[in-house]
Amino acid sequence: MSLQAILPFTRSLLQEVVDRGDTVVDATMGNGLDTLFLATLVGKDGTVFAYDIQEEAIQKTKERLIREGQLTQAQLLLKGHETMEEELSQLTKPISAAMFNLGYRPGGDKEIVTYPKSTIQALHILSRYLKKDGIITLVVYSGHEQGKAEKTALLDEIRAWDQSLYSILKYEFINQLNHPPFLIAIQKK
C-alpha cells in the first residue's frame, strides 16, 4: 500500500459515503472538477449544489459537465457558499457530503480567494444538514497570505467542535516544501 496524495484520498473518503440519488455540495466550484466528481457519484437521480462567486467558474464548470453528460444533476449557483442555507433548507433529506478547495481558482484571478468568515459560516450550515456518517472535506491551500489566515482560523474553529458529535481528521504530508495542501475531513457521528 502507498500513501495517497491529498486529492485522491479526499475522493476515496467521499466515495465511501455518497450513494446514487444523494444530495451533495461543492462549496467552491472553481473549474468544476469536484462538481463533476460529485455529479458522477450521485448519478442522474441525485443533486449537486455547486457554489462560486465567479461567472467564469460557472461557465467552465457548465462546459465540463456538458462534455461529460453530467449537467442535469448539478445546480450551478453564482453566489458564495455562506448562502447555501437558502437551498439546503428546502431539502426533505440530509446531504451526504460536501467538498471545499480553499484558496483561489486554479488559472483564475489570485486576488479572488476564500475567507475564513464565510468558510466557517458555511461549515456551520453544512453541519446542520449533514446526515449521520456524512463527510465534509476541506482541502486547504495556505501558501498565500489569505490562505495562512484561513488555515489558522479554520483549525482554531474546528478544534473546538464537540468530539461526541464529530470526528475530525487532518491529513497532511509534513516533509514537503512550500506549504503543501492538506485535508480536513469532518464526519458527523
Side-chain angles (χ1 to χ4, degrees):
M1 180 187 124
S2 61
L3 295 174
Q4 289 186 16
I6 299 298
L7 297 177
F9 183 63
T10 300
R11 289 180 175 206
S12 70
L13 291 174
L14 293 167
Q15 287 170 323
E16 295 294 319
V17 299
V18 177
D19 294 317
R20 292 218 172 277
D22 282 356
T23 299
V24 295
V25 171
D26 181 354
T28 52
M29 187 186 324
N31 291 319
L33 292 171
D34 290 339
T35 306
L36 174 60
F37 169 72
L38 291 169
T40 303
L41 289 181
V42 301
K44 300 291 183 196
D45 294 326
T47 302
V48 180
F49 291 108
Y51 296 84
D52 208 294
I53 61 170
Q54 299 175 76
E55 184 68 49
E56 189 176 358
I58 301 284
Q59 190 57 41
K60 285 188 176 295
T61 300
K62 184 176 183 179
E63 290 168 5
R64 184 179 304 278
L65 293 172
I66 289 171
R67 267 194 318 271
E68 300 295 329
Q70 300 291 331
L71 183 62
T72 59
Q73 61 267 45
Q75 293 189 31
L76 308 181
L77 301 156
L78 183 62
K79 54 195 218 174
H81 49 235
E82 73 278 7
T83 68
M84 66 179 67
E85 180 112 34
E86 189 175 327
E87 289 76 34
L88 300 185
S89 67
Q90 304 301 312
L91 298 175
T92 58
K93 64 179 186 172
I95 64 168
S96 57
M99 297 180 80
F100 290 78
N101 272 300
L102 302 177
Y104 50 82
R105 187 174 63 80
D109 183 346
K110 292 182 176 156
E111 297 299 313
I112 302 173
V113 297
T114 55
Y115 289 94
K117 182 178 179 184
S118 63
T119 298
I120 290 168
Q121 187 176 350
L123 279 176
H124 283 281
I125 294 166
L126 287 167
S127 70
R128 292 195 306 274
Y129 293 97
L130 190 64
K131 74 177 184 180
K132 182 183 182 304
D133 297 324
I135 292 180
I136 302 167
T137 63
L138 303 104
V139 177
V140 181
Y141 295 85
S142 62
H144 56 98
E145 275 314 302
Q146 184 54 41
K148 290 175 188 146
E150 189 167 39
K151 169 187 171 181
T152 300
L154 188 57
L155 290 174
D156 287 347
E157 169 67 28
I158 62 171
R159 280 187 182 112
W161 284 29
D162 187 338
Q163 69 179 358
S164 69
L165 301 175
Y166 302 95
S167 295
I168 302 176
L169 164 83
K170 182 180 178 195
Y171 181 79
E172 69 179 319
F173 292 92
I174 59 174
N175 67 335
Q176 294 180 355
L177 302 176
N178 301 321
H179 309 280
F182 63 91
L183 167 68
I184 297 169
I186 302 168
Q187 186 167 40
K188 192 170 192 175
K189 293 182 177 182

